[in-house]
Amino acid sequence: MFEVTVAARFEAAHRLVGDFGPAARTHGHTYRLEVTVRGEALAPDGTLLDVGELRQAVDALAGSLHYTDLQEVPGLSGVNTTVEHVAQHCWQELASAVQGRGMSTMRVAVWESEDVGAALDAPLAL
Amino acid sequence: MFEVTVAARFEAAHRLVGDFGPAARTHGHTYRLEVTVRGEALAPDGTLLDVGELRQAVDALAGSLHYTDLQEVPGLSGVNTTVEHVAQHCWQELASAVQGRGMSTMRVAVWESEDVGAALDAPLAL
Amino acid sequence: MFEVTVAARFEAAHRLVGDFGPAARTHGHTYRLEVTVRGEALAPDGTLLDVGELRQAVDALAGSLHYTDLQEVPGLSGVNTTVEHVAQHCWQELASAVQGRGMSTMRVAVWESEDVGAALDAPLAL
């Protein structure tokens, strides 16, 4: 199985609703967004998916979250902005860009810091 | 599959017994401990496992190893303190804190440096 | 499942052939090479595979790529030096050193930067 990973960063505010201690206060992180796609075979040009093309999709997504309050982002409003939900949102936003290209799975990891992160790893429509 | 990861560090001495060259001398590392739990579904509050709760368990474990000689740690005395055995010890110490919570697997990685590490990835009792 | 990872770096020039924008110009990277082997059981000395031995194989491979033009490396000449192909080349070069030792799979990741990488994860002959 081959994998390609592209990462980007975004800076955003959020707060959790519920019994989460200091995380219930509005605060923020420099998030790291890591996107990995997997597939069995390389194209004749030696790519699983052109890194430049994946970079465009990842950067556009990171841009849509940069300098925002995550509570106000379409797709996250109305849900708790846990790092798990942010990873799920990013997975859903990216799926359309990479589906139907022969890749079998995608893992989207979101890190709030280098020591705390979450990911969603799920099958893609081939 | 969702994943949540929390990492911590500890500084400890150790030495290997056997034909391991300079690693047979007492030395030490600033270890990085990375704990990842996985499960299929998020709770209504948007968490797989509350990061704050996982943080407490990981920090308590790192604290039990910080500023120790690993040969003298209960659970490691009598075994070779390879990075594989340290990862296995950490897995076993953490399992009780996260078992029975609906998570399917846990991966515990221990890094002696940014370039050398080991991990144990194994099923949890649901 | 246990895992052991050893990483190294090498600095090399390359360029892509095809419609890859600026990547079609000769340029270079400080690559990071991460090699992970996996297996079910530790040896009596507490190792899955002696880190020192894996280090020798990984460093020898990194040395063979350091300060080269990847187009001129045997095993890469005649193919596009995408990060996927570089990872595949490294996997193939390392397989002979770790096969037949009871390990089930090996993942070789190659990073062009901390934000762009590729990997090949495939079974080893036990």
Side-chain angles (χ1 to χ4, degrees), chain A residues 22-36:
Chain A
R25 298 198 293 264
T26 296
H27 60 287
H29 306 284
T30 298
Y31 288 88
R32 177 176 163 91
L33 168 63
E34 287 179 353
V35 179
T36 300

Side-chain angles (χ1 to χ4, degrees), chain B residues 32-53:
Chain B
R32 177 175 163 90
L33 168 64
E34 287 180 353
V35 179
T36 301
V37 292
R38 303 189 192 93
E40 288 294 343
L42 302 184
D45 65 1
T47 64
L48 177 67
L49 179 68
D50 177 8
V51 163
E53 189 186 341

Side-chain angles (χ1 to χ4, degrees), chain B residues 82 84 107 114-115 117 119 121, chain C residues 3 5 7 9 32 46 48:
Chain B
T82 57
E84 294 95 321
R107 177 180 185 272
E114 69 173 8
D115 289 346
D121 194 340
Chain C
E3 307 173 12
T5 297
R9 266 153 288 267
R32 177 176 163 90
L48 177 67

